[in-house]
Amino acid sequence: MEKVKKHSLLYKILRIILIFFIVLIILAAVIFIWQKDNILSAYKGITASAEDIASEIADSKAVVNEVLAEYDTPVLRNFTLEEEEKIRRGELTVDEALALILNESEAESGDETSGLTGGSAESGGSSGLSGDENNGSVSGSEASLVDQNALVGNAVKKLYSLKAYYIGRLGSLESEMKSEYIALPADQRGTGAVSSIVSSHMGEVTSLESECDSQVSVLLSQLKSDLESIGADTSIVSTLDTQYQNEKNLRKSYYVSTCLN
């Protein structure tokens, strides 16, 4: 009888331990799914060199540049990593950074023709010119192409403007944290102080990321809707979204790697 009781007690203890570990595994899985990108970014930052990550970032930018080359827009290219680092350090403003990647004469021309999206619908796809006016007339397909280029160019310009703005915001926050650390008495500085300061600002970092994600999502959704309204190909939207997420995660890894080395 005593043996039965002992076996029963042991079974209950083992059952409790098993349930405890199952709960831990479930919690770990939930946290991983919730913070998957951040965990993977941190892991890459720890295990890969900054040079290798920079190369991946360049490859990601090249994908977008190649796709944008198919459109006639004032946006010449993406920012380089070096330019983004200058933005982060406050050496380039948003406007200065945009001036490096935009053809301003084309941008002005694009602004003048951007009204074609509304005009073409009213004129049967002829940009305000009747089909009988053969000299200088614009066909419906040509007008639609102009509309498509204008829509993509405007959206990408806004996307890169957002990127520059938030990289600058993160850079300002980084400077603020450095100032807080330097302001500490010498005997209070160290790894613990760095960890404490970074932790105290993580809410702001998370908020900035969420805010940027939200604005990019709205921007790309609008671009997709606008392209669909003129019957244009929308594949560039998914490309921009994928590369935005990829590049953002790679930049996190890059920051981790540069901080560790």
Side-chain angles (χ1 to χ4, degrees):
M1 191 62 151
E2 190 67 28
K3 277 187 177 183
V4 173
K5 286 183 178 179
K6 285 183 179 180
H7 280 301
S8 178
L9 180 60
L10 181 61
Y11 172 76
K12 287 180 180 178
I13 293 173
L14 289 174
R15 188 166 176 270
I16 291 171
I17 292 173
L18 181 60
I19 291 172
F20 176 73
F21 276 110
I22 290 174
V23 171
L24 283 181
I25 291 171
I26 292 172
L27 286 174
V30 169
I31 291 172
F32 179 78
I33 293 171
W34 179 40
Q35 293 292 332
K36 178 183 177 182
D37 289 342
N38 288 334
I39 292 171
L40 294 178
S41 294
Y43 178 76
K44 179 183 281 289
I46 293 170
T47 58
S49 68
E51 291 75 17
D52 288 342
I53 298 170
S55 178
E56 288 190 54
I57 292 175
D59 289 342
S60 181
K61 292 177 182 295
V63 171
V64 178
N65 287 338
E66 186 176 343
V67 172
L68 283 179
E70 300 174 10
Y71 297 84
D72 182 16
T73 78
V75 183
L76 301 176
R77 59 175 175 82
N78 201 332
F79 297 118
T80 64
L81 179 60
E82 291 74 21
E83 288 165 349
E84 290 175 356
E85 286 298 278
K86 286 184 178 181
I87 297 170
R88 182 175 66 86
R89 294 193 297 266
E91 298 170 13
L92 275 178
T93 65
V94 173
D95 288 340
E96 289 170 341
L98 286 175
L100 295 174
I101 66 171
L102 293 178
N103 182 328
E104 290 301 336
S105 61
E106 287 187 29
E108 292 173 8
S109 175
D111 290 339
E112 293 172 3
T113 59
S114 61
L116 288 173
T117 304
S120 60
E122 296 172 1
S123 57
S126 61
S127 296
L129 297 173
S130 68
D132 294 329
E133 297 179 44
N134 294 322
N135 294 328
S137 65
V138 181
S139 69
S141 60
E142 289 173 332
S144 180
L145 183 60
V146 172
D147 290 347
Q148 176 180 292
N149 290 333
L151 289 170
V152 171
N154 188 46
V156 173
K157 182 178 177 180
K158 288 180 180 178
L159 181 65
Y160 289 169
S161 179
L162 283 172
K163 177 193 284 191
Y165 172 73
Y166 282 103
I167 288 176
R169 288 281 301 275
L170 285 172
S172 297
L173 188 55
E174 181 184 346
S175 297
E176 184 182 332
M177 288 189 279
K178 286 181 178 177
S179 296
E180 287 182 26
Y181 180 78
I182 293 172
L184 292 173
D187 60 344
Q188 292 183 23
R189 296 174 190 171
T191 306
V194 172
S195 178
S196 177
I197 291 173
V198 170
S199 296
S200 68
H201 287 279
M202 279 309 295
E204 295 171 74
V205 174
T206 302
S207 177
L208 282 176
E209 181 181 358
S210 177
E211 188 179 301
C212 183
D213 285 348
S214 177
Q215 293 204 46
V216 169
S217 178
V218 170
L219 177 63
L220 294 182
S221 292
Q222 185 62 54
L223 174 59
K224 183 177 181 180
S225 176
D226 289 342
L227 289 173
E228 287 176 339
S229 71
I230 61 171
D233 179 28
T234 62
S235 59
I236 189 173
V237 177
S238 60
T239 299
L240 291 173
D241 185 36
T242 298
Q243 296 309 316
Y244 165 74
Q245 298 296 339
N246 185 48
E247 199 176 317
K248 182 180 70 171
N249 292 330
L250 285 171
R251 284 195 67 85
K252 291 178 185 177
S253 299
Y254 182 77
Y255 288 146
V256 172
S257 184
T258 52
C259 286
L260 293 177
N261 299 304

